Structure formats: structure tokens, C-alpha cells
């Protein structure tokens, strides 16, 4: 018993009685026969000798002589016999006739029951408060009384205990449902703290009284609701009366979540200390204002309309929003808003929110945001975590992916240090174009991802995308020179076409990026058209495999004329696909599909085998032609260093390698792969010829013509489209022809379509001509007829 009496909580309560000015001195005593032995004291020294002559009735004032002996003017004995038999609490004042203030009593109640650890201790020691002048009640969440002190029973006119009776007996019928709703709301919202409720009560004698009650919820150690504690602050007659509750809240001081309480007109009444910490606004700055001062501007009117509709229909809204701090920074928060009704149907709105910088229950155990060590941006894992969070928001946003075009050139042509500097500068420029609340991450070696809240239309996304790309328009002053960086942007909107989750949204944004690169556009967004295009690509991928293995492809051949002899000396093999349902599919469409799906090797082998078969037949017919075959850089990467796979096919068809020309694009040389040079050299040593296809449409780096063993350079038709007649194009073509000739290579001019072009080119140092003016690509049957009339040979047309 002695240990229980001398517990830290009882000692703390003594000090609080003095600190809250309920007494100038407080003392805990134990009865020893007819005298009282002092045990603990606060605000006064513990007397050396026992006190005598004290009346032991449960609640009794001390005589002036007894108080004067302790240096006090008045005092009162409060029995603790219900909890500690033979013990009492003594309260002393330094002045006579000083009434206990209501604020002092309520302050003591708040210090005990609005802090979880103290409240849990107090619930097990309620007898300490049995004789306290403040009326106290312990309730269940259904409003059933579990305990009450003497002050409550005296006010209610009850001689016995109130335990087991419902407060519904003392409430007006129309108020009770709203009262229960308030009880449950306190249980659901820890951040609400203490509720101050003004409502009418019915006294057992029939009178209507207006009472003000302070109500707080006590939780157990697991945080579960345990009971309600109520303190009756005032009770007085009131007429006329209106049904309903007038409720306000005093936010919990230790609650980490921010609380904002508004009236029915949405004007701010109170905020919690956590509100000030999260938003940066002080209570005096926002009281009387509207919550709109926190709006970020990233949500649409429709968003707030749906929020208000939910509050009107259900009295509750829960979600995640973007708000703005006093500093101007935009941040995401989890928000819960509920409504309570007061007198005459008046509303109170209670908003509880937390900064989403703190992970919620669904993100517990998730790794913290990790920075990319090179750029200082978030890395891919952190981006995916943030993307999933954005997809849970009830508002629109845009996902944009930016890819630096041909980034490997910086590493290959210069060094990796320059490449790192390029990435750092690009990251810095992109960061400078962001709004507060936008999120930027580096998700690949040369890829950046952006989450842009508030984007609801493609037009907005395009404007923002162009704004980002313009950051790269100026050259980068790196490596003692001005470097120009080009980028492509792909994006998708949430919610949008077919987006189900973060993974599908990311996939669509990457597909838009790929589509932009294919079309050589700076920016593309995923939409219905792109969705249909992606569905078509998936079908083509499936059907192309069947076409390769089941004979669904054909080869057409376009003649190439030697300018000196005027005879056809070469052919270019061009693959064609006539789909049974979709019709003719252009190589511009299905070759990239083959490259994406890993079918390009099978497609290339089929083309080489078929071209060699037809070339063998042409040779047997008396046409000693050379055959030019296009091979992609992907095919080169899988080729052996000695070129043995291609050479074996040529040998199997009993052809000489000198009759084969392999056309490759400039991009192959720009990859900086030293093995490519070894493969090309091996093919040339075997007798094959190497041609650069579509020269002038890609990188056009003349330095590579000098570094690699090239036999033919095919000039793209765009160089002669405006000839004759365009002086600049003419000068450019003549310069290129002169340089290529000086390097000892032969030139093929593609795309000759008019007699005027033929006349002009007859004056230029070009070696071979190819174009519709000579002949369009044609199947072997038609080619044989063409060759017979063009070259004067008589050949069989058997296939």
C-alpha cells in the first residue's frame, strides 16, 4: 500500500494541483490513530510532526487554527479512502475566501487526461478525483457511465452511484445521435484532442440546463480507444433553447498530425501546434481565414467539387492532396475532413492532415528516398516509390520521360568524364525548370523521369514538355567547347488510356518515348492513336514471325546503273510483306518491329538466303550482277568476328563473296565498337564490298569515311530532290562527291526520278545511279523482263 501511495503519479498530481493554482500547497497524509502523518507535499514543506484534530469526514474544511499552524489561511481535507483506505489529500490556500477558478480546475483536468501516459495512470486511480470540486465522469464510447465523482452526483441530484446509467437519460432526444457521432469521431481521430461541447441537458427534476463539457478520449498502451473522460465546466439555465451540439476542439498538443477546425462557412477557428509546424502559418495568421490560403493551384475545380459533395452527402472525405506552405513550397499530404452539427444545424469541419514526407502504413518498411550519386536526383527505386504514391492520389498528373539522344557519342568520341558532366548539367537545367511540387529523378544512364501534378490535358503536357526541352537549347560549355545536347520526351497522363497502375503508366510513357524516337519527333504523349499503334505493333510482331518461317515475305530488286557504261551492274534487294488482312506493310514499319522483338536476325538471314538464291539464278541466266543487301547494326553485333555466318551462306549458294555488297548505316560506325571494324575487315578480305547507306541523313561524320574500309557511299535522295535549281544543294553535293572521290571510294546517287536530275548528275563525278527514273523495285520475274530489254540479253523467265 505504501508503494502505491508514494507512486510517481500521485507525486506528479500534487505538483499539478499547485502548478494549476488549485492550491498554494498540497499534502498527502496517512491516518495514525487520531492524528495524520504527512507523507508527500508540494508548494510547502512537509511538517516534522503529525497533524492533530483533523476531521476525518470525506470532505471537510480545516479550522483557521489548523491552517495557521502550517502558515496557510485556509484548507480542505479530501478523503482518499475509496482508493487508499486511511489516506487523505489536503489542499491549502494562503488567503481566505478564495474560490477555485473554473479555468484552474479545467487546466488540471487537461494536464492529466490529454496526455496518453498520464491518462492511463489516472484511469486506474480515479478515486484520487472523487472529492475534487470539478465534476468528472468516465464513459464508454456508447455513452454509458462507468464512474463519476461526488460533484457530478450532487449536481444530478443522485445519492447513489451513476455507474451503468446512460447519459441519454440526461440528454435531449434530438441531440443524442449527434452526441454518439462525436464520441466515435474522437475515437477515430486521435489528432482531434479535446472536444468542448455545449448542449442542453435535462435535470431529473425536469429543468433544462445548458452545460459545457470538456471531453477527451483515453487510449490504452496499444493506442486503442479505452474510454471517454468528461469534465463539466459549467451548467446554467438557458432560454430559449435549441436542439443540437455546439462543438469546438482543442487539438492534442502532442499529436504529430496537423488539425484545422473551421465553422460552417469554412472559416478557420482553431489549429494545432502541428499545423504550424507543417504549414509554417501561425494560428493568429490563419484564424478567420479560409483554407484556400493553403491551396497549391495543382488541383482542378472538379477535385474540390467532389470533395464538397462527399462532405455534404456522407459528412466525411478522405484522400491525398497537394497544398502549399507559407514558404511557397508545394507538398503532398494525407487529409481527412469530417463535419459535425451544432445548434440550429450549424456545421463544424475538422480537417486532420499529415505531411506525406512521412510514410503511411502502406509504405512502412519501404526504403527511404535514395539519391543518384552523380546528379543528386532521386534514383530509379525512389522514383518508382514516388510514382506509386502519385497513382494513389485522386488527382491528375503527368509522367514524362526524357532521353538524351545519342548520349553514347559523348562517351565514345570524348570520354566518360565528359559524359558525366553532360548528365550533371542536364540534371541542373531540368531542375531549374521545375515548379514546386514537381519531382525529378534519374532512372537510367541517360534517362530522366518527371512527375508533374496538376496536368489534366495533353495540351498542358505538351506546353510543359516544350518548356523542359527548351532548357537544353543552349549549348553546354564543357570540355573547353560548346556541346549541343538533343533530347526526346515521351509521356502519359494519369488517369488516362488504359492506365491501371504505376507499372502500366510507366510502360505507356516509355512507349510514347519510343514512338517519338521512331518518328524523329521531340515529344510524344500516349493517347488513343498511340494505343492503336501499339496494338498494331504487337500484332505485326506475332504475324512477322509466321511470315518469316512460312514464306509470307518477298524480295523486290531495284537496278543500279553504272554511269560509264550505262548498264545495270548492281541490284539492291528490298524485302516486302503483303499481309493477308492488313495489306502491304512497309519495311519502315516492320523492320523496327523485328529489331524490337529480336526477329531481326531471322529476318536478315532469310533476306540473305533468298537474295543469294535469286542472284545465283541471275548469274546462270547470264547477268553477272552484284547484289546489295541491307544489314542492321543489331545483326552486326551478333555476327562472328570473321563474318563466318554470312560467308557460309554465300558459299552454300555457290557464289563468290565479291558479288555481295553489304549496306550498313552510319550509326554502326558511331557506336565506337572496335569489333565492328574487325568484322568489316574480315568481310572485305573475303571479297565482299561494304557500302554506307543513306549517307547524309544521320551523323554524316566524314571522319568515319577515312577511319573505316568503305567501298561505296550511297548518297540519300534528299540531296538531289531540289536539283537542279537549288544552288546551295548543288554546292553541298559537289563538295561531298569531291571528298568521297579523293578518299578513293565510289558513289551511288539514290532517288533519281526526273530527266533534269539525270542531266545534272551526268556532269558530276558520280559512279552509279539508282531511282525510279531507271526502274522501281520489282520481283524477279519482272526484273528478268526489264534486264532483257534494258541490256539486250535473252533469258528465261522461269522462277
Amino acid at each position: 500500500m505504501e508503494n502505491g501511495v508514494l507512486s510517481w503519479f500521485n507525486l506528479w498530481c500534487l505538483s499539478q494541483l499547485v502548478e494549476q493554482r488549485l492550491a498554494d500547497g498540497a499534502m498527502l497524509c496517512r491516518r495514525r490513530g487520531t492524528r495524520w502523518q504527512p507523507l508527500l507535499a508540494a508548494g510547502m514543506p512537509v511538517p516534522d510532526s503529525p497533524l492533530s484534530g483533523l476531521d476525518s469526514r470525506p470532505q471537510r474544511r480545516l479550522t483557521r487554527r489548523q491552517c495557521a499552524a502550517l502558515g496557510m489561511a485556509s484548507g480542505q481535507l479530501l478523503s482518499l479512502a475509496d482508493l487508499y483506505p486511511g489516506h487523505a489529500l489536503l489542499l491549502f490556500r494562503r488567503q481566505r475566501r478564495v474560490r477555485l477558478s473554473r479555468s484552474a480546475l479545467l487546466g488540471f483536468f487537461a494536464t492529466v487526461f490529454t496526455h496518453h501516459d498520464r491518462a492511463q495512470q489516472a484511469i486506474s486511480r480515479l478515486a484520487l478525483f472523487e472529492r475534487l470540486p470539478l465534476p468528472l465522469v468516465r464513459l464508454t464510447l456508447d455513452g454509458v457511465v462507468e464512474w463519476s465523482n461526488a460533484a457530478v452526483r450532487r449536481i444530478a441530484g443522485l445519492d447513489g452511484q451513476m455507474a451503468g446509467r446512460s447519459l441519454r437519460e440526461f440528454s435531449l432526444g434530438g441531440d443524442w445521435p449527434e452526441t454518439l457521432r462525436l464520441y466515435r469521431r474522437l475515437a477515430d481521430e486521435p489528432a482531434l484532442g479535446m472536444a468542448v461541447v455545449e448542449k442542453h441537458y435535462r435535470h431529473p427534476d425536469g429543468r433544462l440546463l445548458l452545460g459545457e463539457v470538456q471531453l477527451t478520449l483515453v487510449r490504452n498502451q496499444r493506442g486503442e480507444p479505452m474510454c471517454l473522460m468528461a469534465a463539466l465546466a459549467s451548467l446554467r439555465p438557458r432560454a430559449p433553447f435549441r436542439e443540437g451540439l455546439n462543438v469546438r476542439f482543442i487539438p492534442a498538443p502532442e499529436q504529430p498530425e496537423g488539425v484545422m477546425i473551421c465553422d460552417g462557412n469554412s472559416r478557420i477557428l482553431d489549429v494545432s501546434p502541428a499545423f504550424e509546424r507543417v504549414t509554417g502559418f501561425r494560428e493568429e495568421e490563419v484564424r478567420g481565414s479560409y483554407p484556400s490560403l493553403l491551396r497549391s493551384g495543382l488541383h482542378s475545380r472538379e477535385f474540390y467539387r467532389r470533395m464538397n459533395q462527399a462532405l455534404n452527402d456522407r459528412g466525411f472525405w478522405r484522400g491525398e492532396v497537394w497544398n502549399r506552405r507559407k514558404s511557397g513550397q508545394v507538398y503532398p499530404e494525407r487529409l481527412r475532413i469530417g463535419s459535425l452539427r451544432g445548434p440550429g444545424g450549424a456545421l463544424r469541419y475538422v480537417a486532420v492532415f499529415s505531411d506525406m514526407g512521412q510514410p503511411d502504413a502502406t509504405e512502412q518498411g519501404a526504403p527511404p528516398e535514395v539519391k543518384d550519386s552523380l546528379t543528386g536526383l532521386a534514383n530509379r527505386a525512389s522514383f518508382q516509390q514516388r510514382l506509386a504514391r502519385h497513382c494513389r492520389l485522386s488527382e491528375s498528373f503527368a509522367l514524362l520521360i526524357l532521353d538524351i539522344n545519342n548520349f553514347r557519342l559523348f562517351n565514345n568520341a570524348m570520354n566518360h568524364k565528359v559524359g558525366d558532366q553532360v548528365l550533371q548539367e542536364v540534371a541542373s537545367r531540368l531542375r531549374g525548370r521545375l515548379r514546386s511540387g514537381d519531382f525529378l529523378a534519374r532512372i537510367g544512364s541517360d534517362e530522366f523521369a518527371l512527375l508533374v501534378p496538376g496536368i489534366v490535358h495533353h495540351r498542358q503536357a505538351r506546353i510543359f514538355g516544350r518548356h523542359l526541352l527548351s532548357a537544353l537549347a543552349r549549348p553546354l560549355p564543357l570540355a573547353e567547347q560548346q556541346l549541343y545536347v538533343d533530347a526526346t520526351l515521351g509521356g502519359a497522363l494519369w488517369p488516362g488510356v488504359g492506365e491501371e497502375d504505376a507499372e502500366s503508366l510507366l510502360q505507356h510513357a516509355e512507349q510514347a518515348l519510343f514512338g517519338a524516337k521512331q518518328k524523329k519527333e521531340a515529344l510524344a504523349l500516349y493517347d488513343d492513336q498511340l494505343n492503336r499503334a501499339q496494338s498494331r505493333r504487337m500484332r505485326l510482331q506475332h504475324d512477322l514471325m509466321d511470315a518469316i518461317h512460312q514464306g509470307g515475305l518477298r524480295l523486290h530488286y531495284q537496278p543500279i546503273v553504272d554511269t560509264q557504261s550505262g548498264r545495270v551492274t548492281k541490284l539492291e534487294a528490298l524485302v516486302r510483306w503483303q499481309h493477308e488482312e492488313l495489306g502491304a506493310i512497309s519495311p519502315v514499319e516492320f523492320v523496327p518491329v523485328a529489331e524490337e522483338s529480336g526477329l531481326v536476325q531471322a529476318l536478315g538471314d532469310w533476306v540473305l538466303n533468298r537474295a543469294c538464291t535469286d542472284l545465283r539464278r541471275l548469274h546462270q541466266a547470264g547477268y553477272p550482277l552484284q547484289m546489295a543487301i541491307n544489314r542492321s547494326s543489331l545483326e552486326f553485333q551478333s555476327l562472328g568476328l570473321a563474318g563466318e555466318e554470312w560467308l557460309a551462306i554465300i558459299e552454300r549458294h555457290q557464289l563468290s563473296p565479291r558479288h555481295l555488297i553489304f549496306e550498313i548505316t552510319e550509326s554502326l560506325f558511331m557506336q565506337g565498337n572496335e569489333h565492328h571494324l574487325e568484322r568489316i575487315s574480315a568481310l572485305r578480305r573475303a571479297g565482299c564490298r561494304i557500302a554506307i547507306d543513306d549517307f547524309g541523313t544521320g551523323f554524316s561524320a566524314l571522319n568515319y569515311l577515312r577511319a573505316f574500309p568503305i567501298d561505296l557511299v550511297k548518297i540519300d535522295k534528299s540531296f538531289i530532290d531540289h536539283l537542279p535549281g537549288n544552288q546551295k544543294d548543288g554546292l553541298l553535293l559537289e563538295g561531298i562527291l569531291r571528298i568521297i572521290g579523293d578518299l578513293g571510294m565510289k558513289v551511288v546517287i539514290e532517288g533519281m526520278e526526273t530527266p533534269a536530275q539525270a542531266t545534272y548528275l551526268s556532269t558530276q563525278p558520280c559512279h552509279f545511279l539508282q531511282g525510279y527514273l531507271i526502274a522501281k523495285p520489282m520481283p524477279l520475274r519482272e526484273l528478268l523482263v526489264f534486264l532483257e530489254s534494258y541490256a539486250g540479253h535473252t533469258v528465261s523467265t522461269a522462277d
Side-chain angles (χ1 to χ4, degrees):
M1 180 64 67
E2 190 73 15
N3 290 336
V5 174
L6 299 179
S7 69
W8 73 267
F9 179 75
N10 293 345
L11 177 60
W12 178 84
C13 282
L14 284 180
S15 65
Q16 285 301 305
L17 289 169
V18 175
E19 184 176 324
Q20 300 300 326
R21 300 190 178 182
L22 288 172
D24 295 321
M27 188 181 302
L28 182 65
C29 297
R30 180 179 57 195
R31 190 182 182 112
R32 293 294 189 187
T34 60
R35 299 195 295 180
W36 292 84
Q37 177 66 46
L39 299 178
L40 298 171
M44 61 186 300
V46 178
D48 295 331
S49 57
L51 307 180
S52 60
L54 298 183
D55 194 326
S56 60
R57 285 180 289 181
Q59 186 170 345
R60 193 69 177 173
R61 291 189 179 278
L62 304 181
T63 67
R64 185 184 302 180
R65 180 180 59 79
Q66 291 168 334
C67 294
L70 296 172
M72 296 293 175
S74 63
Q76 188 174 16
L77 180 142
L78 304 177
S79 173
L80 300 179
D82 291 346
L83 182 64
Y84 303 127
H87 290 75
L89 181 66
L90 279 63
L91 301 181
F92 295 97
R93 305 289 301 193
R94 300 187 189 280
Q95 296 179 349
R96 288 182 59 79
R97 298 186 178 88
V98 177
R99 298 183 62 182
L100 295 177
S101 68
R102 186 184 72 161
S103 61
L105 288 165
L106 295 175
F108 177 72
F109 172 78
T111 59
V112 175
F113 290 101
T114 59
H115 294 77
H116 293 171
D117 56 343
R118 302 170 193 166
Q120 291 166 11
Q121 291 279 342
I123 289 299
S124 64
R125 293 173 170 81
L126 286 177
L128 286 170
F129 311 100
E130 169 66 25
R131 302 296 170 182
L132 197 69
L134 180 65
L136 298 176
V137 180
R138 171 177 170 166
L139 304 168
T140 69
L141 296 182
D142 295 325
V144 177
V145 177
E146 294 183 315
W147 173 88
S148 63
N149 69 357
V152 168
R153 297 192 297 273
R154 184 176 64 255
I155 292 173
L158 299 174
D159 296 331
Q161 292 291 331
M162 291 179 63
R165 302 180 68 168
S166 173
L167 285 188
R168 184 172 188 172
E169 299 178 29
F170 307 94
S171 298
L172 299 182
D175 293 349
W176 187 243
E178 192 66 25
T179 302
L180 286 179
R181 184 181 173 194
L182 171 63
Y183 293 168
R184 297 189 183 103
R185 186 68 190 281
L186 287 171
D188 293 338
E189 298 287 0
L192 290 179
M194 181 187 294
V196 181
V197 185
E198 188 179 71
K199 61 173 288 186
H200 281 87
Y201 293 92
R202 189 183 302 276
H203 195 273
D205 63 11
R207 289 178 296 154
L208 286 179
L209 302 173
L210 182 64
E212 182 181 298
V213 175
Q214 292 194 0
L215 194 65
T216 185
L217 187 100
V218 179
R219 298 178 182 274
N220 60 24
Q221 292 182 346
R222 296 187 299 274
E224 301 165 342
M226 186 162 59
C227 66
L228 290 161
M229 283 299 301
L232 183 60
S234 67
L235 190 66
R236 60 189 184 278
R238 179 68 177 266
F241 92 95
R242 292 179 299 179
E243 289 188 357
L245 281 64
N246 187 7
V247 182
R248 63 185 179 89
F249 294 91
I250 302 174
E254 296 179 339
Q255 179 64 36
E257 293 183 299
V259 181
M260 178 175 62
I261 301 166
C262 301
D263 63 16
N265 296 318
S266 297
R267 289 186 180 273
I268 299 174
L269 299 176
D270 292 293
V271 297
S272 69
F275 174 95
E276 299 183 356
R277 291 195 299 271
V278 174
T279 68
F281 286 101
R282 298 190 304 276
E283 181 178 1
E284 57 268 23
E285 292 179 293
V286 299
R287 188 182 292 114
S289 301
Y290 293 97
S292 57
L293 65 86
L294 301 174
R295 289 186 180 179
S296 63
L298 299 181
H299 295 287
S300 63
R301 290 183 180 179
E302 178 63 18
F303 174 83
Y304 293 107
R305 190 198 67 77
R306 293 195 302 266
M307 179 189 293
N308 292 329
Q309 188 67 40
L311 288 172
N312 292 334
D313 294 344
R314 302 188 299 273
F316 189 77
W317 184 89
R318 181 192 302 268
E320 297 175 354
V321 301
W322 290 86
N323 272 343
R324 189 181 302 275
R325 307 185 207 273
K326 182 180 179 180
S327 64
Q329 179 191 14
V330 174
Y331 68 99
E333 68 179 28
R334 287 179 290 272
L335 175 64
R336 304 186 301 274
I337 307 176
S339 63
L340 293 171
R341 296 208 171 267
L347 284 174
R348 291 290 185 269
Y349 295 106
V350 181
V352 182
F353 62 91
S354 60
D355 189 339
M356 285 178 63
Q358 303 298 323
D360 61 14
T362 63
E363 292 174 332
Q364 294 297 331
E369 186 168 291
V370 179
K371 300 292 185 181
D372 170 53
S373 59
L374 179 63
T375 62
L377 302 176
N379 67 0
R380 186 177 185 88
S382 297
F383 158 75
Q384 291 174 328
Q385 180 179 333
R386 183 68 69 94
L387 176 62
R389 178 186 297 173
H390 273 62
C391 288
R392 293 197 303 272
L393 291 173
S394 56
E395 190 62 9
S396 301
F397 71 95
L399 165 61
L400 302 176
I401 300 179
L402 183 142
D403 179 83
I404 301 176
N405 297 333
N406 309 311
F407 173 72
R408 62 181 178 273
L409 297 182
F410 295 105
N411 288 331
N412 296 337
M414 297 179 183
N415 55 60
H416 287 278
K417 183 177 180 180
V418 173
D420 290 347
Q421 291 175 340
V422 168
L423 292 172
Q424 291 169 337
E425 181 65 22
V426 169
S428 176
R429 292 195 181 185
L430 293 178
R431 191 186 289 115
R433 294 299 174 101
L434 301 184
R435 310 166 304 170
S436 180
D438 296 341
F439 181 78
L440 174 64
R442 182 187 175 206
I443 62 172
S445 62
D446 58 349
E447 272 192 355
F448 297 85
L450 300 98
L451 301 176
V452 190
I455 300 292
V456 296
H457 301 298
H458 279 195
R459 183 178 61 84
Q460 293 173 294
R462 290 185 184 280
I463 292 173
F464 190 84
R466 288 192 289 268
H467 175 66
L468 287 175
L469 292 172
S470 66
L472 306 180
R474 293 179 291 107
L476 279 59
L478 299 175
E480 300 181 352
Q481 57 183 305
Q482 300 290 320
L483 300 180
Y484 284 88
V485 173
D486 187 28
T488 303
L489 201 63
L493 302 188
W494 177 274
V497 180
E499 277 78 16
E500 300 176 355
D501 49 26
E503 183 178 352
S504 63
L505 180 66
L506 179 59
Q507 180 182 9
H508 289 167
E510 290 176 338
Q511 289 173 351
L513 176 66
F514 180 81
K517 284 183 171 291
Q518 269 197 320
K519 297 180 180 179
K520 294 181 170 54
E521 297 176 349
L523 171 64
L525 298 174
Y526 192 84
D527 55 13
D528 287 327
Q529 182 178 355
L530 186 57
N531 184 30
R532 291 192 297 269
Q534 293 299 330
S535 299
R536 178 181 170 91
R537 293 179 72 85
M538 292 181 64
R539 179 176 182 180
L540 292 182
Q541 176 180 331
H542 176 270
D543 293 352
L544 179 59
M545 181 180 299
D546 293 339
I548 293 173
H549 296 295
Q550 298 178 16
L553 301 176
R554 295 289 183 268
L555 282 186
H556 285 197
Y557 302 97
Q558 186 171 30
I560 301 173
V561 173
D562 187 320
T563 56
Q564 285 190 348
S565 65
R567 298 172 63 86
V568 175
T569 59
K570 297 175 174 48
L571 302 171
E572 181 177 3
L574 299 167
V575 64
R576 295 291 183 262
W577 183 15
Q578 185 69 29
H579 195 281
E580 292 182 357
E581 297 179 12
L582 302 178
I585 310 296
S586 169
V588 175
E589 183 178 10
F590 71 77
V591 169
V593 171
E595 293 178 339
E596 293 172 40
S597 59
L599 295 173
V600 67
Q601 187 67 51
L603 176 62
D605 288 346
W606 181 90
V607 169
L608 180 58
N609 269 291
R610 185 63 191 180
C612 286
T613 298
D614 289 346
L615 182 60
R616 173 69 175 167
R617 182 172 298 167
L618 287 168
H619 285 181
Q620 291 172 344
Y623 297 103
L625 302 173
Q626 291 182 315
M627 182 72 74
I629 301 172
N630 292 281
R631 303 307 295 250
S632 72
S633 59
L634 291 177
E635 293 176 90
F636 256 89
Q637 291 174 8
S638 60
L639 180 64
L641 295 181
E644 57 272 19
E645 297 95 328
W646 297 355
L647 294 174
I649 293 175
I650 297 171
E651 182 179 357
R652 187 165 61 248
H653 287 279
Q654 300 179 356
L655 293 172
S656 169
R658 65 185 180 84
H659 290 111
L660 273 296
I661 303 170
F662 290 113
E663 295 187 4
I664 55 181
T665 61
E666 296 170 272
S667 60
L668 180 74
F669 302 123
M670 306 298 285
Q671 292 175 5
N673 190 328
E674 59 183 15
H675 295 311
H676 289 342
L677 176 60
E678 191 171 346
R679 295 182 180 105
I680 291 172
S681 299
L683 291 172
R684 291 188 80 247
R685 285 195 299 271
C688 297
R689 297 292 178 259
I690 304 296
I692 293 182
D693 192 20
D694 298 330
F695 182 84
T697 60
F699 307 100
S700 302
L702 296 175
N703 180 56
Y704 287 95
L705 296 181
R706 177 179 57 82
F708 283 84
I710 306 299
D711 299 288
L712 293 166
V713 177
K714 302 189 73 174
I715 306 296
D716 186 74
K717 71 182 292 292
S718 60
F719 280 83
I720 67 170
D721 281 343
H722 304 291
L723 294 177
N726 189 306
Q727 184 179 7
K728 290 184 178 179
D729 284 3
L731 292 173
L732 179 60
L733 178 63
E734 292 170 11
I736 293 175
L737 294 176
R738 198 161 39 246
I739 293 174
I740 294 176
D742 291 342
L743 293 174
M745 303 173 188
K746 300 290 182 68
V747 174
V748 180
I749 301 291
E750 297 181 290
M752 186 180 69
E753 298 178 353
T754 67
Q757 289 174 336
T759 302
Y760 173 81
L761 292 174
S762 66
T763 65
Q764 301 300 319
C766 54
H767 306 91
F768 302 96
L769 298 174
Q770 178 181 354
Y772 282 8
L773 185 63
I774 300 171
K776 294 182 179 181
M778 61 193 82
L780 182 63
R781 282 180 174 273
E782 296 179 16
L783 176 67
L784 290 171
V785 174
F786 170 83
L787 291 175
E788 183 176 4
S789 64
Y790 194 88
H793 290 282
T794 301
V795 297
S796 172
T797 60
D799 190 354

